[in-house]
């Protein structure tokens, strides 16, 4: 086991390197872009003895017969927009995959990691992590563990284990604020939002601050996740 994985809090005698966890199983990879999907699949297949099968979406995974034998789903959200992340988190919360899910992300973002785990994922792997560590993390999830980057262990209120403040209902937002929130979820900048909603950029900033205050959100990403 790598030094990074030794920081995980494991309460039983399960190990990350057990080949028993891989026996008679498949790993499902969900990535919409063919080239990236094949690159990830080849790297994973070189590390695991079980077949790595690919799908373009979670819905295809659920409908395809080959998805039935998947013991683990690796959901690629590399360079995904905020809207894509929000939809993926909703699917996780709704139990679309019905299997343990590990997400692949572009950055080591503690907020995204926390949101992902809260919505039901069993792992969060950023591209800043080495392939060998990522493989061990996937093996850890295969035997029933939950993995997120070790440095996140030291951030406050990790993965939602401590009591959370109840988010304010969206009904408290004004019509303009709803429009701004929709644009934020689409990943648009204040300048673009101002142009599309025919208002000053300074006014957009005021709306964003008011929305964050009403939703008790820390940043724009948090706004997108909460809505």
């Amino acid at each position: 086991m790598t030094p990074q994985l030794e920081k995980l809090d494991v309460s039983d005698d399960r190990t990350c390197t057990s080949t028993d966890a891989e026996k008679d199983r498949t790993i499902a990879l969900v990535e919409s872009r063919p080239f990236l999907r094949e690159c990830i699949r080849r790297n994973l297949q070189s590390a695991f003895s079980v077949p790595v099968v690919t799908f373009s979406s979670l819905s295809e995974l659920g409908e395809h017969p080959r998805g039935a034998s998947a013991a683990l789903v690796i959901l690629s959200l590399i360079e995904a927009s905020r809207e894509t992340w929000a939809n993926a988190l909703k699917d996780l919360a709704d139990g679309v995959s019905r299997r343990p899910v590990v997400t692949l992300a572009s950055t080591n973002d503690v907020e995204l990691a926390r949101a992902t785990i809260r919505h039901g994922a069993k792992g969060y792997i950023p591209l800043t992590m080495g392939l060998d560590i990522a493989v061990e993390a996937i093996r850890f999830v295969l035997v029933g563990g939950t993995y997120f980057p070790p440095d996140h262990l030291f951030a406050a209120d990790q993965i939602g284990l401590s009591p959370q403040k109840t988010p304010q209902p969206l009904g408290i937002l004004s019509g303009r604020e709803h429009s701004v929130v929709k644009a934020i979820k689409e990943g648009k900048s204040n300048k673009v939002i101002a142009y599309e909603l025919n208002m000053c950029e300074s006014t957009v900033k005021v709306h964003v601050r008011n929305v964050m205050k009403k939703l008790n959100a820390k940043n724009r990403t948090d706004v997108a996740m909460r809505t």
Side-chain angles (χ1 to χ4, degrees):
M1 187 182 296
T2 62
Q4 288 87 340
L5 289 178
E6 289 178 351
K7 296 179 181 179
L8 293 168
D9 181 14
V10 186
S11 58
D12 56 25
D13 294 327
R14 290 173 289 192
T15 64
C16 302
T17 57
S18 172
T19 56
D20 292 338
E22 302 177 16
K23 188 177 180 180
D24 300 326
R25 296 182 177 183
T26 63
I27 295 175
L29 169 65
V30 179
E31 163 58 57
S32 61
R33 294 157 290 189
F35 181 80
L36 185 56
R37 181 170 63 236
E38 183 61 16
C39 287
I40 298 173
R41 186 199 69 80
R42 291 191 182 192
N43 276 283
L44 292 177
Q45 193 62 80
S46 67
F48 291 93
S49 59
V50 300
V52 178
V53 294
T54 61
F55 304 90
S56 61
S57 65
L58 283 173
S59 58
E60 182 187 1
L61 168 68
E63 296 169 358
H64 202 287
R66 295 184 69 188
S69 61
L72 175 73
V73 176
I74 299 176
L75 176 60
S76 173
L77 293 171
I78 298 170
E79 296 183 351
S81 66
R82 290 186 178 90
E83 184 177 10
T84 301
W85 267 100
N87 291 336
L89 293 181
K90 181 180 182 299
D91 288 340
L92 285 175
D94 293 342
V96 170
S97 73
R98 299 184 299 278
R99 302 164 186 83
V101 176
V102 172
T103 56
L104 301 182
S106 301
T107 59
N108 191 4
D109 189 316
V110 65
E111 294 295 335
L112 284 178
R114 285 170 23 178
T116 300
I117 300 299
R118 284 189 193 129
H119 283 74
K122 295 298 182 181
Y124 178 91
I125 298 177
L127 292 186
T128 53
M129 178 182 296
L131 178 62
D132 290 343
I133 300 174
V135 167
E136 293 304 313
I138 293 171
R139 286 200 174 105
F140 183 70
V141 175
L142 275 171
V143 296
T146 298
Y147 178 85
F148 53 95
D151 52 314
H152 292 185
L153 287 168
F154 303 103
D157 181 31
Q158 288 303 323
I159 66 170
L161 295 179
S162 62
Q164 298 294 310
K165 294 182 179 179
T166 303
Q168 295 292 336
L170 293 182
I172 66 172
L173 301 181
S174 68
R176 274 302 200 189
E177 289 169 347
H178 271 292
S179 299
V180 170
V181 167
K182 183 177 183 296
I184 289 175
K185 291 171 67 175
E186 293 172 354
K188 297 176 180 177
S189 66
N190 287 346
K191 187 174 183 179
V192 173
I193 296 173
Y195 175 79
E196 292 186 348
L197 298 183
N198 193 27
M199 62 175 69
C200 298
E201 188 172 350
S202 59
T203 304
V204 174
K205 292 179 180 179
V206 171
H207 283 313
V208 172
R209 285 198 298 268
N210 289 339
V211 167
M212 290 173 60
K213 183 177 180 181
K214 290 180 178 181
L215 298 180
N216 193 28
K218 297 178 181 179
N219 49 45
R220 295 166 72 96
T221 301
D222 203 14
V223 168
M225 297 306 175
R226 289 173 181 267
T227 56

